[in-house]
Amino acid sequence: MGLHSRMNRPSVIGMTMVVLALLAAGWVRTIEPTIISAPESEGEALPILEPMQLLRVGGEERLAELDILVDLNRRVAFADTRLDLLDLDGCPPLGDWIRGPRGLAFEQTVAALSRGSRTEALAALALVFQLARTTEWAPGVFGGAQAPERLGGLLSVWLDRWGEDAMDDAQLYEPTLAAVLLYGHVMNVAFKSGMFETSVVSRERAQANLTRYAGEQGERRSALGIALNTRFPGALASAVTDGDLSGFTRETELIFPELNGECGQ
Amino acid sequence: MNVHVEREEAGERSSADQLLVACAMIGVGGILLGLQRQADGNFCGTGFASLGMGAVIALLPMLFALVSGSSAAKPMLPHTRLAALSSLVGFAGLTFVASGVLVPGGPWMFIEALILLLVLSRRGREGEIAGVRISHGTVIWLALFLFARLWVTYQGVQNEWAAVSFDVPLLSSLPWVPASMQVVSLGDFTAAEFGIPAQGLHFSHTVALWAVGLAFCVGGLWWRHRAGVECENDRVHETIHRLPPAYASLVELILPEDEWRELGLHGLNERQRRKRLAQLTQERVVRQVEFNRAFLAGRPAIDEGSPAFVNDIHQVIESYSPPALPAPSTSDVSKP
């Protein structure tokens, strides 16, 4: 019998393994990439239907729906703050308003809600968006970066708490992406704080925060980073790599044209 | 002595085992080259486009080998199940290597494939890689394509969808100039063309996968080639050692092992191998007899002032001591 016609058991096993490896080499090429989409609500009815409506123009009409969903301890504060925002007219400067008694109460309420349940977190974010819509925070020709920085700070605190956790929540997923978008835009406004000056620290802070939210320090992105990269790839890449926040401004101008720092005017 | 017994006594792995390990390496390399790691940590495949193009490119050197004049370069006919599997794995391995260096899709892949086909079809200084004759220029092109693939993948991971982008001087510093006029991009591509998932790639892990996969494939191909040659040599050795030991020693003396492949003893079945061995032995013996006859017929005297080369050859020839030849009337060994 010839040398290589003898097939002992280990050889047969080895050949089988090789064939399986070849088949596996073909099979692995069929593995589809994970599709990134908003999480499903797993059959439960969401407490808030269409949560993005709360952040868009007209959202103030639905803010009252949240009253009964906010914890009893914070319900009154939330209702008061909501009504304060509804009463705002004439597009007051954000910097002035937020230093006043109603502004301070607003900040306290937003902070308390942000530490609460997911629905309360959504309520807090809706309040911040409403504030951004009804106050003036664009610096103008000779303005400074303080007002947009203050607004950016509110968004940043909210994102620090909820940014990553919201990615598996059907109710908070889209609002969180919107919050990052607005944060990038607001900080870009802070950076271009006037015709003749720029606030480099604002840009650097925004770059650092966005890099942290996206999990770009390591190569493995965070869930929020993956969602952002799927939704706003160019804006995120420019911000993280070059500190260029203009992509967020362009996206915001498309999605929330009224959030221009001048009450949509 | 049986080749298996000899190797076992020496504590060595048999050539068949080596061939299996080499094939397994290629298989594992193919798996690694077919994977990429997404930014979310999951794995996804690299698709079939580049694999198919790699197969086309791997086919070309095999076709050249088929039409090649040299018997040593021609592919061997597999006569055992292991040899058949090895041939299949060899082709798959070349396919994996080619698909590993090509960009995974889009017009770029066709341009690269066209260049490779042109380079492979040119005659040039050739070397042998994994049993396939490939010119040095082709190796350089393969390395360039691998670099290009890694570069564009890196660009894609950075969300830069062009091979090269640079700012236009002056225009890029003017804020009112549209962004599209501030930057010039060359070699645009899309994520879909290059199989980059929407959430991005984990670049370092993906490159590590591909690098290890390529190393396994290239190393496996090299090992498979060497083990394949050794397997064939073992088969020839076994055939020769079916002769009585004294004859087997003589045959191995006039047909040294390192010439077996060049002499066309590989890739034959047992019957063909026996015939070829008999034919080659006869040719070598006839040559030996002719040399002896010429040697005994007389050598020229060498002058004192002959060149060194002549002296060297003279010394070698004079050191030869031929056996006594039978009477030259026997005509049975004189015909080739």
Side-chain angles (χ1 to χ4, degrees):
Chain A
M1 190 176 268
L3 173 68
H4 299 287
S5 54
R6 281 189 296 266
M7 294 301 295
N8 53 21
R9 191 180 177 83
S11 297
V12 172
I13 293 171
M15 287 175 66
T16 309
M17 298 293 282
V18 169
V19 171
L20 288 176
L22 285 185
L23 292 174
W27 174 78
V28 294
R29 286 169 158 80
T30 65
I31 301 174
E32 292 289 334
T34 315
I35 296 169
I36 304 298
S37 58
E40 298 291 330
S41 58
E42 296 179 357
E44 297 173 11
L46 291 174
I48 305 293
L49 292 173
E50 297 297 328
M52 279 300 287
Q53 285 183 356
L54 291 166
L55 309 187
R56 295 200 185 103
V57 175
E60 64 275 11
E61 305 294 333
R62 287 193 60 194
L63 275 177
E65 291 176 29
L66 296 170
D67 283 357
I68 56 166
L69 298 172
V70 170
D71 186 84
L72 204 60
N73 296 327
R74 295 178 281 273
R75 190 171 294 170
V76 176
F78 171 70
D80 289 347
T81 306
R82 174 174 66 78
L83 292 172
D84 284 346
L85 289 176
L86 278 175
D87 289 343
L88 274 178
D89 54 359
C91 199
L94 182 141
D96 295 342
W97 184 83
I98 211 159
R99 279 196 293 272
R102 291 194 298 172
L104 294 174
F106 170 89
E107 276 192 318
Q108 290 167 12
T109 305
V110 167
L113 290 170
S114 297
R115 289 192 292 270
S117 67
R118 289 168 182 253
T119 305
E120 288 175 309
L122 179 61
L125 191 60
L127 290 178
V128 175
F129 268 69
Q130 185 62 21
L131 178 73
R133 193 174 291 111
T134 53
T135 56
E136 182 187 359
W137 43 271
V141 178
F142 302 105
Q146 290 83 3
E149 271 279 358
R150 196 77 181 257
L151 182 57
L154 290 170
L155 289 163
S156 172
V157 168
W158 192 91
L159 285 168
D160 283 343
R161 169 63 187 88
W162 287 103
E164 190 66 12
D165 290 350
M167 289 299 99
D168 58 359
D169 188 300
Q171 188 168 270
L172 283 178
Y173 182 86
E174 292 288 344
T176 303
L177 296 184
V180 177
L181 194 61
L182 181 60
Y183 175 72
H185 169 51
V186 165
M187 295 307 282
N188 192 37
V189 172
F191 166 61
K192 295 175 178 174
S193 49
M195 183 170 277
F196 305 106
E197 60 177 309
T198 53
S199 172
V200 177
V201 289
S202 299
R203 185 177 68 177
E204 289 173 349
R205 187 174 10 267
Q207 184 179 11
N209 279 337
L210 287 167
T211 303
R212 186 161 50 85
Y213 299 148
E216 293 279 349
Q217 288 99 334
E219 282 188 88
R220 185 169 175 176
R221 288 191 173 123
S222 64
L224 177 56
I226 289 167
L228 285 170
N229 189 59
T230 310
R231 193 66 61 85
F232 315 115
L236 180 68
S238 304
V240 168
T241 54
D242 304 327
D244 177 10
L245 303 168
S246 56
F248 285 102
T249 293
R250 285 194 293 274
E251 295 277 7
T252 307
E253 285 169 354
L254 280 174
I255 301 169
F256 302 106
E258 74 284 2
L259 293 175
N260 61 355
E262 295 170 347
C263 303
Q265 293 165 2
Chain B
M1 189 186 284
N2 186 294
V3 178
H4 280 317
V5 178
E6 284 176 11
R7 286 183 192 274
E8 278 170 17
E9 282 180 358
E12 291 173 357
R13 189 177 287 277
S14 79
S15 55
D17 286 352
Q18 291 192 46
L19 201 55
L20 264 180
V21 174
C23 289
M25 274 178 73
I26 293 169
V28 172
I31 293 172
L32 296 177
L33 281 170
L35 285 170
Q36 52 191 4
R37 192 157 198 223
Q38 299 174 175
D40 62 359
N42 292 321
F43 290 91
C44 66
T46 52
F48 283 104
S50 60
L51 188 72
M53 198 57 78
V56 171
I57 289 167
L59 202 58
L60 198 70
M62 294 201 165
L63 289 174
F64 283 140
L66 277 175
V67 299
S68 161
S70 160
S71 61
K74 281 189 192 257
M76 294 179 293
L77 198 62
H79 290 292
T80 62
R81 274 172 286 186
L82 181 58
L85 179 68
S86 169
S87 300
L88 176 71
V89 173
F91 177 72
L94 281 174
T95 301
F96 293 148
V97 170
S99 68
V101 300
L102 289 177
V103 293
W108 282 39
M109 182 182 70
F110 289 94
I111 293 169
E112 286 189 351
L114 184 65
I115 292 172
L116 270 186
L117 290 174
L118 289 174
V119 169
L120 284 170
S121 61
R122 279 182 57 200
R123 280 176 162 273
R125 200 153 60 96
E126 287 182 334
E128 195 172 51
I129 293 178
V132 173
R133 301 192 78 79
I134 294 177
S135 73
H136 296 179
T138 309
V139 176
I140 292 170
W141 277 106
L142 286 171
L144 282 175
F145 290 161
L146 176 62
F147 181 79
R149 180 182 190 184
L150 295 180
W151 172 249
V152 294
T153 303
Y154 176 74
Q155 291 291 93
V157 168
Q158 301 294 318
N159 279 307
E160 298 282 346
W161 302 108
V164 183
S165 306
F166 52 89
D167 293 340
V168 179
L170 192 63
L171 283 183
S172 59
S173 59
L174 302 175
W176 61 83
V177 173
S180 58
M181 294 175 66
Q182 292 182 336
V183 178
V184 172
S185 299
L186 299 175
D188 291 348
F189 60 93
T190 65
E193 278 178 357
F194 283 11
I196 298 174
Q199 62 268 48
L201 280 180
H202 197 305
F203 185 71
S204 61
H205 285 194
T206 301
V207 168
L209 279 175
W210 292 347
V212 175
L214 265 179
F216 266 63
C217 278
V218 173
L221 281 169
W222 175 82
W223 196 358
R224 173 195 154 272
H225 173 60
R226 297 300 300 263
V229 170
E230 209 168 296
C231 266
E232 288 296 320
N233 280 347
D234 285 352
R235 286 155 59 89
V236 176
H237 179 88
E238 192 160 90
T239 303
I240 289 173
H241 280 260
R242 290 209 172 94
L243 295 166
Y247 277 146
S249 300
L250 282 172
V251 169
E252 284 193 326
L253 203 62
I254 58 171
L255 296 174
E257 183 169 338
D258 53 9
E259 292 179 18
W260 288 351
R261 185 161 178 250
E262 294 296 325
L263 291 171
L265 284 166
H266 286 184
L268 304 175
N269 62 30
E270 183 66 22
R271 180 181 56 79
Q272 291 168 327
R273 195 161 48 246
R274 286 181 184 185
K275 279 190 167 185
R276 180 79 180 140
L277 275 169
Q279 181 195 1
L280 288 168
T281 305
Q282 186 191 26
E283 284 173 10
R284 291 288 167 101
V285 167
V286 166
R287 197 184 300 168
Q288 185 73 23
V289 168
E290 283 175 353
F291 178 81
N292 286 342
R293 192 168 289 144
F295 182 85
L296 292 172
R299 281 100 54 202
I302 300 298
D303 296 335
E304 287 285 325
S306 297
F309 166 66
V310 176
N311 280 324
D312 290 346
I313 297 293
H314 175 73
Q315 280 177 8
V316 171
I317 290 179
E318 288 303 320
S319 67
Y320 177 67
S321 56
L325 286 175
S329 59
T330 53
S331 57
D332 52 343
V333 294
S334 61
K335 292 173 189 168

